[in-house]
Amino acid sequence: MGRYIARRLLLTIPVLIGASFLIFALVYALPGDPIRALGGDRPLAPAVVAQLRDEFNLNDPLWLQYVKYMGDLLQGDFGTDFRGRPVLDTVERTLPVTIRLTIVAIAFEAVIGIVAGVLAGIRRNGFLDNVVLVSSTLVVSIPILVLGFVAQFVFGLQFGWFPIAGIQEGWYSYLLPGLVLAAGSLAYVARLTRTSVAENLRADFVRTAKAKGLPRRTVVVRHTLRNSLIPVVTFIGADIGTLMGGAIVTETVFNLPGLGRAVFDAIQGQEGAVVVGIVTLMVFFFVFFNLAVDVLYAVLDPRIRYD
């Protein structure tokens, strides 16, 4: 197991380098001059523009800019934006918001998705199963941008159950955006759990457990659910990184000052250091959680071993 984890960690190095270079190149290719945009309606003096371009290495070719950036990054320096604010300060300010939003989304995804999937799988082709299939199809077909505005209007403005913007009310402020963010993944978890439970209920080891006279709850929880959770845990583990990276729309709609909103603002301002730093961090989270899922395989299924 230790050797396997070490190999996976080593593989993250080229992944992080490739992802950071790709994002760096895309930001570099954006049209416009970010330095001249700093002046707004009042253009900066040519001497100031030249000084800033030299300070931020904008006169260098792309590969040289990237080499200098990675050299600073290896020393723990994420760089600064064009207004002189350290990128690390932006990450420290926005990361807790995105983590809280992701925690709420994962909780909705895991609890509601697994419970709905288990109930639908046990009562396959029944009323509850049809409800889960229809509702999950409907949720997946709605873009998250539309779903966010509908949720704000219905549950925030009409019913007044949830705040519709900001984080002034603590964790309660994350419930509605967390549910919106988790909606699509929740539907997939419910359908995946339903299919896995329905298949395992017909497996030989479940038939043996029933033949022994074990209670139905024991058969479902101890024998069926544990084996059915392997593909579900795989999906949820990989989805953690996806949710953190996909929170841009949700954080923008609900005005949450998280990583996604910071990336959106940085792209608009062509703040390459901010975009590359945050996206590289998201890639690391994605790789880390996928590694954690692989390790959990051995816990959920004793037949799985890593050399």
Side-chain angles (χ1 to χ4, degrees), residues 66-83:
Y66 180 73
V67 169
K68 291 181 178 179
Y69 174 80
M70 291 302 296
D72 294 336
L73 187 63
L74 292 176
Q75 299 176 26
D77 183 8
F78 280 73
T80 59
D81 61 20
F82 293 131
R83 292 172 175 80

Side-chain angles (χ1 to χ4, degrees), residues 2 15 28 95 109 148 159 191 225 246 300:
V15 172
Y28 183 87
L95 181 59
E109 179 181 335
F159 295 155
R191 306 193 82 170
L225 186 58
L300 293 173

Side-chain angles (χ1 to χ4, degrees), residues 53-291:
R53 291 187 65 86
D54 183 67
E55 179 181 349
F56 290 100
N57 306 316
L58 295 179
N59 294 320
D60 298 329
L62 172 63
W63 67 269
L64 185 56
Q65 289 187 43
Y66 180 73
V67 169
K68 291 181 178 179
Y69 174 80
M70 291 302 296
D72 294 336
L73 187 63
L74 292 176
Q75 299 176 26
D77 183 8
F78 280 73
T80 59
D81 61 20
F82 293 131
R83 292 172 175 80
R85 297 170 297 189
V87 175
L88 194 57
D89 289 351
T90 302
V91 172
E92 291 176 349
R93 185 182 71 253
T94 57
L95 181 59
V97 175
T98 300
I99 289 178
R100 295 189 191 102
L101 178 62
T102 304
I103 290 174
V104 173
I106 289 296
F108 279 125
E109 179 181 335
V111 175
I112 300 178
I114 291 177
V115 171
V118 170
L119 295 178
I122 293 174
R123 298 171 176 83
R124 191 174 185 181
N125 297 324
F127 173 77
L128 186 58
D129 184 23
N130 292 326
V131 169
V132 170
L133 291 177
V134 172
S135 59
S136 61
T137 303
L138 179 64
V139 169
V140 171
S141 64
I142 301 176
I144 191 170
L145 179 63
V146 176
L147 192 62
F149 284 122
V150 170
Q152 282 182 320
F153 178 77
V154 175
F155 299 109
L157 296 178
Q158 295 295 318
F159 295 155
W161 292 348
F162 303 99
I164 61 174
I167 55 174
Q168 289 78 15
E169 299 188 35
W171 282 94
Y172 192 65
S173 302
Y174 294 93
L175 292 181
L176 188 58
L179 182 59
V180 171
L181 180 61
S185 300
L186 187 156
Y188 284 117
V189 168
R191 306 193 82 170
L192 184 60
T193 305
R194 172 214 178 246
T195 302
S196 186
V197 168
E199 290 178 354
N200 281 305
L201 282 174
R202 297 193 298 268
D204 292 338
F205 64 89
V206 174
R207 294 195 187 97
T208 302
K210 291 179 179 178
K212 291 181 178 179
L214 295 178
R216 180 176 178 81
R217 178 178 299 180
T218 302
V219 173
V220 172
V221 175
R222 183 178 301 177
H223 297 277
T224 306
L225 186 58
R226 180 175 180 179
N227 290 276
S228 301
L229 283 180
I230 293 178
V232 178
V233 168
T234 303
F235 179 85
I236 293 178
D239 199 45
I240 295 176
T242 303
L243 290 178
M244 294 187 70
I248 296 177
V249 175
T250 306
E251 290 180 357
T252 302
V253 170
F254 289 91
N255 195 27
L256 301 179
L259 286 177
R261 181 64 182 271
V263 170
F264 179 78
D265 294 339
I267 292 175
Q268 286 187 316
Q270 292 183 263
E271 298 281 2
V274 178
V275 177
V276 175
I278 294 179
V279 172
T280 302
L281 183 63
M282 289 179 176
V283 172
F284 173 78
F285 283 139
F286 186 85
V287 173
F288 172 78
F289 286 118
N290 273 273
L291 176 60

